Each structure stands twice: as C-alpha cells, then as structure tokens.
Amino acid sequence: MQFLWRRYEERLEPVRRQVAEFVGARPRDIVFVTNATTGVNAVLGSLKLRAGDEILTTSHDYNACRNVLVEAARRTGARLVVAQVPFPLGSSDVVVEAVIGAVTQRTRLAMVDHVTSSTGLVFPVAQLVRELEGRGVDTLVDGAHAPGMVPLNLARLGAAYYTANLHKWACAPKGAAMLWVREDKQKDLQPAVISHGNNTPRAGYSAFQDRFDWAGTFDPTAWLCAGEAIRWLGRLLPGGWRELRERNHRLAVQAGRVLGEALGMGALCPESMLGAMVTLPLPERFQGVPRAGRIDSEQERLYDRFRVEVPFFRIGRPERRYFRISAHIHNSLSEYEYLAKALCRL
Ligand SMILES: Cc1ncc(COP(=O)(O)O)c(C=O)c1O
C-alpha cells in the first residue's frame, strides 16, 4: 500500500518530467508503457479502422510490431501495405520515396521506425512525418531504439504517435518505455490494458494519463528508475548526453570500418544513416546456410567460444545473412577488433 497507493504518483511525476525533457516533449503528452510493443498495441487497438482502409509499414519494421498491424488488419478488414525499402541503400531519400510511393487515398496510418532493428538504420523520420502528415496520413513512429541513441524533439517532430523504449540506450531496467501522443489524438487513445483510469479522474492529470498510469496492479520499479538512468548516464561525460551519443556514433562507425576491412565488405548505407548500431554482411562462407535452431548455430558458437553476443539476421529475398554491432559507453574499439578475429576463426 505504501509503495503503490501512497507513493507511486508522487514518485512517477518527477520521472515523467525527466523523460519529457529528455525526449523534447511536454510531460502532459507522455505516458509510460512497459515496452514499445505495448505502445504500438495501444495505438492500433484504438484506431477505428474500416474495411478497405490501408495501414502502411516498411520492409524494415520489427516483427512483433508488424504482427500488431497484421492483427488489426485481420480484425477490421483493413489492408496492410508494406513499402519495400531496399537494403543496402545509397541515401535516405530511398526510404522517403518507398514510403510515400506506397501511400494511397485509403492510407490511414503509417508505422515508420526511427532506428530500424535488423538493418540498424536511422530513418529520416522528420521528413517522413512531414510528407505523410501533409498527405493526411497519421504517423506512428516506432522509436524503440531512439532515446539515448539519437537526439529527440518529439514536440517538434509532431507525429501523431511516438513510442519508445527507455530500457535500451537509456539503460533503464526492462519494462521502461513511453508513448507520446499528439494532443489532438489523445482523446481516442486507450491503453492496451484497460483498468481504473477510465472512470477515476485525478486532479492535475489529463484523462489520457488517467487511463494509462494504472494498467492494473503491477511493479512500476522500471518506470521509476528511468529518470535516474537518464540523469546518471548524462553525467558520465563532460558534454553530457550529446557527447555520449556522438561518442557512441563515432565508435560504431569506426567499428563498422574495422569489421568491414577485416571481412572484406563494403558499407551497406551512408554513414549519415547510422546511429550507434551497424549491420554488416556475414562472410560468404556463412551465406546460404539454412537456419537450424532458434538462434543461428554460428551465433551460438561465437558466444560459446569467444563470449561475444551479436545478433545475426536473415534479410531480403533472396535471403542474405548479416550481423549487427552496437556501441555504448562500456565498449571500446579493441572489442570489435576481437570480434573481427573471432568471425574469421569461427
Ligand atoms: C524497431 C523496434 N521496434 C520494437 C521493438 C520491440 O521492443 P520491445 O520488445 O521492448 O517491445 C524493438 C526491439 O528491439 C525494435 O528494435
């Protein structure tokens, strides 16, 4: 009772303010969710889609979030359209052309990733939101990887919806995520889990926040820790978060070059499209090997023999195999040199 009923709200509000400042938004437009998938579920579950409407995504989207769109389309008779964004690609214009080229009169919502998961690209979300909203299409930005990796100003971005994880680059505990909703869209938005908030208004809170803040009895520890995670990481370097983001970006780019040279691979995208992750092709001898288990056997061996964990991906038709590196404050270039040697010996 002490923690959940008496103290929860007064502890959550300062965190909401810290998170809001971190992502360039007003606290009143932000609610907490347990992960980006839950944010996407809330948005798709609240849309009043009709048969014949179209929802748009890209071929670089995240499987769990794609599933939410597939299910919303199945439930309502809407059609899911997938804009095919090539990979490798030479410029961010290719992304805008693919997405805008897939918009029709019937497009109601577009989901675009801010930082793509398997391909590790920073999509030009500001331009995408501008072009989509200009055509009357609401945008849901899946920013799962964005806070802490790329600078954010959600108020200026002005998408209809933006969901993001704080348990990735902001290093909050798992279960810390947020959903930002533009004021004009808040009225119709319901959480994925409906609880007391629908008929329990609180002084000083918007109805939008009432509905989301109490999603049934749960452990809000991860949410309450998010502010301290942001504050702590922001004090590690003299230049704060900006320096941290820039350092991570530089290290990722350098690491990508080191690995590319060691494995004889060229870059798959311009460096300007990278944040703090880089996806690279696996050597030719790994290509064409069918998947045997839930995790690729080479990824298992890399971990078992060399104690390196990097995700392996299969992308495109015909399928090519890739791996993705990440760079954060605890990483150094020598680790990627070690990974290059490990991949050569695997
Ligand atoms: C682009 C993208 N969207 C959504 C997610 C889902 O995140 P979560 O499992 O925390 O909901 C991820 C996770 O890696 C992701 O990379």
Side-chain angles (χ1 to χ4, degrees):
M1 289 299 286
Q2 180 75 356
F3 181 55
L4 269 181
W5 282 93
R6 296 188 203 283
R7 296 282 173 261
Y8 168 56
E9 283 175 355
E10 71 185 40
R11 286 176 161 206
L12 189 62
E13 284 322 294
V15 182
R16 199 193 312 262
R17 285 196 294 274
Q18 280 170 289
V19 170
E21 194 190 335
F22 187 56
V23 300
R26 300 184 305 183
R28 56 179 294 165
D29 298 328
I30 286 181
V31 290
F32 290 93
V33 288
T34 42
N35 47 52
T37 310
T38 306
V40 172
N41 269 281
V43 173
L44 268 295
S46 303
L47 279 188
K48 293 180 187 67
L49 291 169
R50 282 198 295 256
D53 285 346
E54 290 177 4
I55 37 182
L56 179 59
T57 184
T58 77
S59 51
H60 291 232
D61 63 2
Y62 186 74
N63 179 61
C65 299
R66 166 83 66 92
N67 282 345
V68 185
L69 306 194
V70 168
E71 190 53 27
R74 194 195 59 75
R75 210 174 49 236
T76 58
R79 197 163 82 86
L80 179 62
V81 177
V82 182
Q84 297 298 323
V85 178
F87 187 68
L89 78 184
S91 98
S92 61
D93 293 344
V94 174
V95 181
V96 180
E97 278 158 27
V99 172
I100 299 307
V103 170
T104 73
Q105 295 286 340
R106 294 168 170 241
T107 312
R108 294 277 317 281
L109 178 88
M111 180 178 77
V112 290
D113 292 12
H114 197 159
V115 182
T116 63
S117 178
S118 53
T119 47
L121 302 172
V122 180
F123 270 5
V125 283
Q127 199 183 344
L128 284 167
V129 169
R130 220 173 26 248
E131 301 271 353
L132 285 161
E133 300 277 339
R135 288 166 174 75
V137 178
D138 286 338
T139 313
L140 161 59
V141 181
D142 175 356
H145 273 281
M149 190 200 288
V150 292
L152 287 177
N153 189 326
L154 300 192
R156 191 173 332 127
L157 182 65
Y161 316 96
Y162 192 108
T163 189
N165 282 334
L166 301 163
H167 57 224
K168 290 186 184 289
W169 296 84
C171 299
K174 301 275 186 290
M178 48 144 285
L179 174 64
W180 177 95
V181 179
R182 207 174 58 212
E183 194 166 7
D184 58 301
K185 298 288 172 186
Q186 292 176 6
K187 182 170 58 65
D188 298 322
L189 210 83
Q190 283 286 359
V193 174
I194 291 169
S195 187
H196 290 298
N198 276 23
N199 64 353
T200 315
R202 299 168 299 169
Y205 291 86
S206 67
F208 166 56
Q209 291 178 328
D210 288 335
R211 291 195 296 272
F212 276 79
D213 281 1
W214 188 271
T217 304
F218 78 122
D219 184 351
T221 307
W223 296 359
L224 299 179
C225 292
E228 178 59 13
I230 291 167
R231 192 195 66 82
W232 188 83
L233 279 164
R235 289 190 176 180
L236 288 181
L237 300 175
W241 267 102
R242 176 196 286 264
E243 188 178 343
L244 179 53
R245 281 194 308 263
E246 288 172 1
R247 176 205 175 275
N248 292 344
H249 169 71
R250 271 197 311 276
L251 180 56
V253 168
Q254 255 182 315
R257 286 190 203 139
V258 164
L259 280 152
E261 267 170 40
L263 303 174
M265 309 286 181
L268 300 179
C269 70
E271 286 179 0
S272 58
M273 289 189 78
L274 294 174
M277 300 195 294
V278 185
T279 293
L280 296 129
L282 281 163
E284 273 318 308
R285 69 179 192 286
F286 291 72
Q287 300 297 340
V289 181
R291 189 195 290 278
R294 201 168 65 82
I295 297 181
D296 276 317
S297 56
E298 298 91 340
Q299 184 179 342
E300 296 275 28
R301 283 210 305 279
L302 187 63
Y303 186 71
D304 291 342
R305 280 181 58 194
F306 299 96
R307 313 310 283 175
V308 181
E309 186 73 277
V310 286
F312 284 29
F313 296 106
R314 293 165 183 268
I315 300 170
R317 295 274 175 279
E319 180 183 278
R320 295 278 297 163
R321 298 184 66 198
Y322 300 84
F323 68 105
R324 190 193 70 197
I325 54 165
S326 297
H328 211 324
I329 185 75
H330 52 278
N331 295 121
S332 60
L333 197 59
S334 60
E335 292 174 292
Y336 305 95
E337 290 162 353
Y338 174 76
L339 171 60
K341 285 197 192 105
L343 283 169
C344 292
R345 287 171 53 196
L346 201 60

